[in-house]
């Protein structure tokens, strides 16, 4: 077996995710997008397959896989709906954070429901005034006896108002990055409320809203790890999150490439199939090449993150940047190949065009990815 091949186990995981997507996601994704439907029943079905705890340890109830296996699952699911696949990534990040950094008591309280997706988690880092500069977050958590009292607002939170659990980064002291702690907050906690759903370009199958704290009392026992360690946890989760969102772009781009090959072979102009024109073949060739280049880099980066390689963060940033930029470009070219039909909601291309656009912003903008790569190169 070549070192560049997937193992038999990895192919089985990929096939399982592809079958689940074909049965439970692809036929319904357009309707979810049009109706802004949040498919919670699909989350629970995915949880039964272990997809809610992909890299959570087996002793905690997860399936204990690596980051490449996670990328394969995200890529396969994004073939049907990038918004759905990306939400699986968010839930996995929140669940993994509790498992990786939490004490046994907090694991025992929250993980049994999260690993099977009986309860669904949101991850809360971004605020109205702190996006790329995550360490500038202001949501305060003041210690009052055996509780923290929270005040502040989280912005752009997927699943806000719908989900059961919110893994939040909050400020417990004035030290910038060392003053941030991680708390797990349950829906229904007094003082926790949510903003109106945001009106977005895409990702309509995944609601987004503010998470608002007004004198919200959260038990100290809900803290993950030690006070002041939250920013370190958040940064540790970003490598995997970047790989996952890059994988979602790969899956969406693959779907649009496949749709373009099919459409151009069927579509006739000037008495011949559009696929027979050299210009069409050149466009398809470039789309396929850009996709495979991004996929190869992302799989390599995933292997490095699993192995905890010293250059894992640089490779994750490179893979995220390339996969999300290439993914959007491939979908844009697919829309062009479909002509006016690509602009219609009767075809899936415009939905992927809208959904993939945000991937170059999420998990660190692609401009920040370049900063990470450049700083790492010049630090050597």
């Amino acid at each position: 077996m070549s070192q560049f091949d997937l193992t038999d186990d990895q192919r089985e995981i990929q096939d399982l995710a592809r079958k689940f997507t074909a049965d439970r996601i692809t036929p319904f994704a357009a309707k979810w997008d049009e109706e802004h439907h949040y498919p919670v029943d699909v989350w629970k079905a995915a949880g039964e397959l272990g997809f809610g705890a992909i890299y959570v340890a087996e002793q905690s109830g997860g399936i204990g896989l690596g980051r490449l296996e996670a990328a394969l699952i995200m890529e396969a699911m994004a073939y049907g709906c990038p918004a759905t696949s990306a939400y699986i990534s968010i839930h996995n990040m929140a669940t993994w954070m509790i498992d990786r950094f939490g004490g046994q008591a907090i694991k025992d309280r929250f993980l049994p429901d999260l690993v099977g997706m009986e309860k669904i988690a949101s991850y809360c880092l971004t605020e109205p005034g702190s996006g790329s500069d995550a360490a500038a977050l202001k949501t305060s958590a003041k210690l009052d006896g055996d509780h923290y009292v929270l005040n502040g607002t989280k912005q752009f939170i997927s699943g806000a108002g719908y989900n059961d659990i919110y893994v939040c980064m909050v400020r417990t002291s004035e030290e910038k990055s060392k003053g941030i702690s991680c708390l797990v907050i349950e829906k229904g906690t007094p003082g926790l409320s949510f903003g109106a759903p945001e009106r977005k370009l895409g990702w309509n199958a995944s609601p987004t809203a503010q998470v608002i704290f007004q004198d919200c009392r959260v038990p100290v026992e809900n803290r993950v790890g030690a006070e002041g360690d939250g920013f370190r946890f958040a940064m540790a989760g970003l490598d995997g999150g970047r790989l996952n969102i890059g994988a979602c772009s790969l899956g969406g781009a693959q779907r649009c490439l496949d749709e373009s090959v099919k459409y151009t072979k069927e579509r006739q102009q000037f008495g011949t199939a559009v696929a027979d024109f050299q210009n069409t073949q050149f466009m398809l060739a470039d789309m396929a090449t850009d996709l495979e280049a991004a996929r190869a880099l992302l799989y390599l980066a995933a292997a490095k993150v699993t192995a905890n390689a010293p250059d894992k963060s640089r490779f994750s940033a490179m893979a995220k940047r390339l996969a999300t930029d290439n993914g959007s470009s491939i979908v844009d070219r697919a829309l062009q190949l479909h002509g006016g039909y690509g602009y219609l909601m009767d075809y899936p291309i415009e939905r992927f065009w809208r959904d993939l656009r945000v991937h170059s912003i999420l998990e660190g903008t692609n401009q920040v990815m370049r900063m990470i790569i450049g700083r790492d190169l010049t630090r050597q």
Side-chain angles (χ1 to χ4, degrees), residues 349-368:
I349 306 301
E350 62 84 30
R351 171 167 57 87
F352 283 88
W353 189 89
R354 290 184 287 107
D355 281 351
L356 262 62
R357 178 60 184 85
V358 75
H359 293 185
S360 61
I361 299 171
L362 292 167
E363 304 292 354
T365 67
N366 285 5
Q367 287 70 34
V368 169

Side-chain angles (χ1 to χ4, degrees), residues 14-296:
Q14 186 181 55
D15 288 343
L16 179 65
R18 285 174 172 172
K19 185 177 187 305
F20 179 82
T21 300
D23 292 343
R24 298 299 304 268
I25 297 176
T26 304
F28 313 104
K31 186 175 181 182
W32 296 342
D33 175 73
E34 186 174 359
E35 298 180 356
H36 293 229
H37 174 68
Y38 192 41
V40 174
D41 58 323
V42 176
W43 302 144
K44 298 185 186 304
E48 293 174 3
L49 299 177
F51 292 170
I54 298 168
Y55 32 84
V56 169
E58 291 184 33
Q59 57 264 38
S60 297
I63 56 177
L65 299 178
R67 299 298 177 145
L68 176 52
E69 290 81 5
L72 294 173
I73 293 168
M74 304 300 168
E75 182 180 352
M77 294 179 74
Y79 192 89
C81 176
T84 299
S85 182
Y87 191 74
I88 291 285
S89 170
I90 294 166
H91 176 88
N92 270 273
M93 179 186 289
T95 303
W96 168 81
M97 200 164 286
I98 295 171
D99 177 53
R100 175 68 177 82
F101 300 111
Q104 195 59 50
I106 198 167
K107 290 183 189 181
D108 291 343
R109 284 178 58 205
F110 291 110
L111 288 181
D113 287 330
L114 291 174
V115 295
M117 298 192 82
E118 288 89 0
K119 291 187 176 179
I120 305 174
S122 288
Y123 176 67
C124 308
L125 175 63
T126 301
E127 297 187 358
S130 62
S132 296
D133 185 8
L137 68 86
K138 297 184 182 302
T139 295
S140 64
K142 305 292 186 184
L143 194 58
D144 181 23
D146 58 357
H147 284 72
Y148 289 104
V149 180
L150 275 60
N151 284 282
T153 300
K154 294 295 180 179
Q155 182 75 20
F156 302 129
I157 306 305
S158 294
Y162 292 82
N163 292 348
D164 309 287
I165 303 293
Y166 298 84
V167 177
C168 295
M169 299 301 159
V170 297
R171 181 159 298 286
T172 48
S173 82
E174 294 305 313
E175 296 180 82
K176 191 171 182 183
S177 61
K178 295 180 180 179
I180 295 170
S181 301
C182 179
L183 298 179
V184 180
I185 302 160
E186 298 174 83
K187 186 179 179 181
T189 300
L192 170 63
S193 62
F194 307 97
E198 303 286 1
R199 300 167 63 233
K200 301 174 296 187
L201 175 70
W203 271 33
N204 291 327
S206 179
T208 303
Q210 290 184 333
V211 175
I212 303 165
F213 303 106
Q214 295 176 305
D215 294 327
C216 178
R217 295 181 64 84
V218 178
V220 171
E221 64 187 19
N222 283 30
R223 190 183 67 222
V224 177
E227 195 170 276
D229 280 349
F231 189 74
R232 179 170 62 85
F233 301 162
M235 295 301 101
L238 283 177
D239 283 336
R242 287 164 181 163
L243 293 173
N244 289 348
I245 208 67
C248 290
S249 285
L250 296 179
Q254 183 69 64
R255 171 70 178 282
C256 291
L257 174 60
D258 292 348
E259 294 284 347
S260 296
V261 171
K262 178 174 178 287
Y263 177 82
T264 57
K265 288 169 71 174
E266 295 173 350
R267 174 73 167 167
Q268 296 273 329
Q269 290 290 279
F270 305 104
T272 188
V274 172
D276 290 337
F277 296 129
Q278 189 179 61
N279 178 66
T280 302
Q281 294 176 8
F282 282 7
M283 286 182 70
L284 292 172
D286 286 346
M287 291 160 69
T289 302
D290 290 347
L291 177 57
E292 292 299 342
R295 180 178 282 132

